[in-house]
């Protein structure tokens, strides 16, 4: 019987059938030679949940995101994700020979739809740059264009791999607020990989801490939005998460 649910238990990522979790991972293992970067990892993310994944460099965060995006299939275990998913990386990866609006709809079936591109660019505050060449964009503008390229696919799961890592502090704060506002409107599931504990405290309604290829801490964040970095509850959460990462907050 035909179904949207396809289960792959060795080396293939398959789609999860709605209704159900946005992400379901069981016993996931990804090795590079003799080293297991992901080692028996289990994870469930619910629809509409904003999840932030923290961990030291090399712990497996980006590898997990690539597996969920379907960019790494050399795995064992079970990975179920929505058919409609999109990813944005730290590097915007815009095609320099295509104008911004064409970058946004790049890879979509059919003729390039400028109206759709402009609508999505408007959502990230970049409609006025639709006809710009990527080389003329600031770092923050390029990252917003990359976010629009992900959003134009109307994803049920949005994967963000250190998307603000190369931005200056002020631009980073603006980008964080933009992502939070987009999530509030769309309510798709989000998995954000970051090193920034304060970013996690400001954006997440669930924070995961990864160590040596497994999830070692899973915390629900029940704080009202919008959040301020100076809010005592946010400060306390940041301190707690730093402790989970083995870092003193003093």
């Amino acid at each position: 019987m035909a179904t949207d649910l396809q289960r792959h238990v060795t080396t293939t990522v398959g789609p999860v059938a709605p209704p159900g979790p946005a992400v379901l991972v069981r016993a996931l293992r990804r090795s590079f030679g003799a080293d297991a970067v992901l080692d028996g990892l289990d994870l469930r993310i619910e629809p509409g949940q904003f999840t932030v994944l923290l961990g030291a460099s090399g712990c497996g965060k980006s590898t997990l995101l690539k597996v969920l995006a379907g960019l790494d299939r050399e795995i064992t275990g079970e990975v179920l994700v929505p058919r409609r998913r999109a990813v944005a990386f730290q590097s915007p990866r815009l095609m320099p020979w295509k104008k911004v609006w064409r970058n946004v709809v790049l890879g979509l079936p059919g003729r390039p739809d400028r109206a759709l591109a402009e609508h999505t660019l408007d959502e990230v505050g970049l409609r006025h740059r639709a006809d710009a060449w990527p080389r003329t964009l600031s770092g923050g503008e390029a990252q917003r264009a990359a976010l629009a390229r992900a959003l134009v696919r109307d994803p049920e799961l949005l994967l963000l791999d250190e998307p603000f890592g190369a931005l200056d502090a002020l631009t980073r704060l603006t980008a964080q607020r933009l992502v939070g506002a987009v999530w509030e409107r769309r309510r798709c599931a989000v998995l954000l990989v970051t090193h920034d504990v304060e970013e996690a405290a400001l954006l997440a309604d669930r924070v995961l801490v990864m160590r040596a290829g497994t999830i070692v801490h899973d915390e629900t964040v029940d704080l009202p939005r919008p959040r301020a970095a100076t809010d005592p509850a946010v400060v306390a959460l940041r301190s707690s998460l730093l402790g989970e990462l083995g870092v003193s907050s003093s």
Side-chain angles (χ1 to χ4, degrees):
M1 180 175 64
T3 175
D4 193 44
L5 177 61
Q6 299 175 11
R7 302 172 72 84
H8 301 274
V9 191
T10 51
T11 61
T12 308
V13 177
V16 66
V23 172
L24 184 61
V25 175
R26 295 191 182 105
L28 174 61
R29 183 178 177 88
R30 175 54 163 114
S31 298
F32 294 90
D35 299 323
V37 177
L38 301 175
D39 192 8
L41 185 142
D42 296 321
L43 176 63
R44 180 185 177 107
I45 297 176
E46 300 300 331
Q49 192 172 64
F50 198 125
T51 302
V52 175
L53 180 61
L54 296 170
S57 296
C59 73
K61 303 187 306 298
S62 291
T63 300
L64 173 59
L65 187 139
K66 288 175 182 176
V67 169
L68 297 180
L71 302 176
D72 186 345
R73 296 175 180 269
E74 299 298 318
I75 63 170
T76 59
E78 183 178 50
V79 178
L80 301 177
V81 291
R83 292 184 184 276
R84 297 201 326 270
R85 60 192 188 277
V87 59
F89 296 96
Q90 181 174 350
S91 171
R93 303 186 182 187
L94 302 176
M95 301 297 103
W97 57 88
K98 291 183 178 291
K99 291 186 176 182
V100 167
W101 78 266
R102 289 185 177 275
N103 265 280
V104 168
V105 293
L106 187 66
L108 291 182
R111 293 175 58 85
D113 186 337
R114 178 167 183 140
L116 177 61
E118 289 186 347
H119 175 78
T120 312
L121 284 167
D122 189 49
E123 188 175 5
V124 299
L126 207 63
R127 186 169 186 161
H128 64 294
R129 301 289 272 154
D131 282 313
W133 296 103
R135 67 177 179 273
T136 69
L137 301 180
S138 68
E141 287 175 334
Q143 199 55 260
R144 279 187 279 162
L147 178 60
R149 185 176 56 195
L151 294 174
V152 80
R153 286 152 175 80
D154 191 23
E156 297 172 77
L157 173 63
L158 179 61
L159 302 164
L160 303 173
D161 191 8
E162 296 276 2
F164 318 127
L167 304 179
D168 64 78
L170 183 58
T171 306
R172 184 181 186 115
L173 181 60
T174 301
Q176 289 170 356
R177 290 173 176 168
L178 172 63
V179 167
V182 166
W183 174 78
E184 289 276 5
R185 287 193 300 270
R186 290 187 173 239
R187 292 292 176 165
C188 58
V190 174
L191 179 61
L192 167 64
V193 169
T194 183
H195 287 93
D196 191 326
V197 175
E198 183 172 290
E199 191 167 278
L202 290 172
L203 291 174
D205 52 23
R206 182 186 181 196
V207 179
L208 308 175
V209 175
M210 179 179 279
R211 187 178 304 126
T214 59
I215 304 297
V216 297
H217 180 72
D218 186 343
E219 181 168 349
T220 299
V221 181
D222 188 18
L223 297 176
R225 288 183 170 88
R227 300 170 188 165
T230 55
D231 186 317
V234 172
V235 172
L237 175 60
R238 178 180 177 276
S239 178
S240 172
L241 291 173
L242 284 171
E244 293 293 338
L245 291 165
V247 179
S248 172
S249 60
S250 60

